Amino acid sequence: SQELEQSPQSLIVQEGKNLTINCTSSKTLYGLYWYKQKYGEGLIFLMMLQKGGEEKSHEKITAKLDEKKQQSSLHITASQPSHAGIYLCGADRRYTGNQFYFGTGTSLTVIP
Amino acid sequence: NAGVMQNPRHLVRRRGQEARLRCSPMKGHSHVYWYRQLPEEGLKFMVYLQKENIIDESGMPKERFSAEFPKEGPSILRIQQVVRGDSAAYFCASSPRTGSNTGELFFGEGSRLTVL
């Protein structure tokens, strides 16, 4: 089973609308990373969350890590076509199993 | 400061041939990760290497796949006797992590393997 589940799997929104992507872990998260992948390209780091309750923002993108540290949400305000791509959450297990692994991904399409 | 460099960006092989994918980490990074991304699927961990050591290869298929990160030169992901199911994008990432420090992974642009 997938240790990191993202929802929704895909999202189509009108430009200007707000949206939220969720990432749920079956285990406690000690480091949660958000990446964006444009179609056919590599991954771009967005932000990292480490503490329960932590919230970070970058331009119109805000990410939170919940108090119990098993879920994170990524919120985009006033979406633009440039936000389109695949959003991936990643969990850091390098302190235990030497792995850094990713969620299932959310494909975002923004219609102008 | 150059980013993670992967080559080739695109590789076409016939069934039964060998594929070699190379990854040069960012300067100063001694940790390399390989991931595979199949069409319409997420990023699957394959192997984690440090210089001259394989730390975790739990995501690597048991047969035909191997990886190395020599003291000098790039990391190599090698796929022998490729089959159509090996067609995918292979991504390399590096980090400077040492000891208990953590930090984000820096990704290359990927190598896209097509097996005919």
Side-chain angles (χ1 to χ4, degrees):
Chain A
S1 64
Q2 187 75 28
E3 199 167 319
L4 277 179
E5 292 282 351
Q6 284 185 236
S7 62
Q9 275 192 315
S10 63
L11 200 50
I12 302 172
V13 299
Q14 200 76 38
E15 182 176 358
K17 296 293 185 184
N18 302 336
L19 63 106
T20 300
I21 298 169
N22 293 303
C23 175
T24 302
S25 174
S26 57
K27 299 180 180 179
T28 301
L29 296 166
Y30 291 96
L32 191 286
Y33 298 71
W34 282 99
Y35 282 83
K36 178 187 174 185
Q37 182 183 25
K38 288 195 171 182
Y39 298 105
E41 298 181 14
L43 276 70
I44 299 168
F45 171 74
L46 294 176
M47 54 193 89
M48 175 182 74
L49 304 163
Q50 287 188 302
K51 300 175 185 176
E54 187 174 10
E55 180 175 322
K56 286 188 178 178
S57 293
H58 175 67
E59 297 179 347
K60 293 185 177 179
I61 302 176
T62 301
K64 299 179 187 179
L65 185 62
D66 83 351
E67 291 290 344
K68 295 183 180 178
K69 293 167 59 174
Q70 286 195 250
Q71 187 172 36
S72 178
S73 60
L74 186 85
H75 185 78
I76 299 177
T77 305
S79 58
Q80 301 169 0
S82 60
H83 287 128
I86 300 171
Y87 288 82
L88 293 137
C89 61
D92 192 345
R93 295 255 186 271
R94 287 174 289 177
Y95 70 100
T96 56
N98 295 302
Q99 281 193 32
F100 188 114
Y101 62 97
F102 288 89
T104 47
T106 296
S107 175
L108 172 63
T109 302
V110 180
I111 301 171
Chain B
N1 191 14
V4 178
M5 304 300 292
Q6 287 189 248
N7 67 82
R9 290 291 308 277
H10 299 275
L11 183 63
V12 178
R13 285 288 178 266
R14 295 190 181 280
R15 281 180 298 170
Q17 291 183 319
E18 179 180 288
R20 282 189 182 227
L21 309 176
R22 287 176 290 278
C23 170
S24 296
M26 286 183 71
K27 187 176 181 180
H29 288 192
S30 58
H31 299 251
V32 165
Y33 298 74
W34 284 95
Y35 292 84
R36 177 164 64 176
Q37 188 175 42
L38 292 165
E40 308 301 321
E41 292 188 17
L43 217 57
K44 301 294 185 188
F45 168 81
M46 297 183 75
V47 62
Y48 164 40
L49 309 108
Q50 294 178 21
K51 287 278 187 183
E52 300 184 280
N53 281 310
I54 296 174
I55 305 302
D56 183 351
E57 56 181 348
S58 58
M60 287 269 277
K62 293 286 186 284
E63 297 175 350
R64 301 187 298 107
F65 285 72
S66 62
E68 62 176 7
F69 189 15
K71 187 176 180 181
E72 301 290 338
S75 174
I76 307 277
L77 180 67
R78 182 183 178 205
I79 311 172
Q80 294 178 289
Q81 300 175 330
V82 295
V83 300
R84 290 215 174 103
D86 296 333
S87 296
Y90 292 84
F91 288 95
C92 169
S94 73
S95 80
R97 175 177 175 260
T98 56
S100 60
N101 294 325
T102 60
E104 72 267 25
L105 301 187
F106 295 82
F107 279 82
E109 292 295 309
S111 291
R112 281 150 186 84
L113 172 65
T114 301
V115 180
L116 302 177

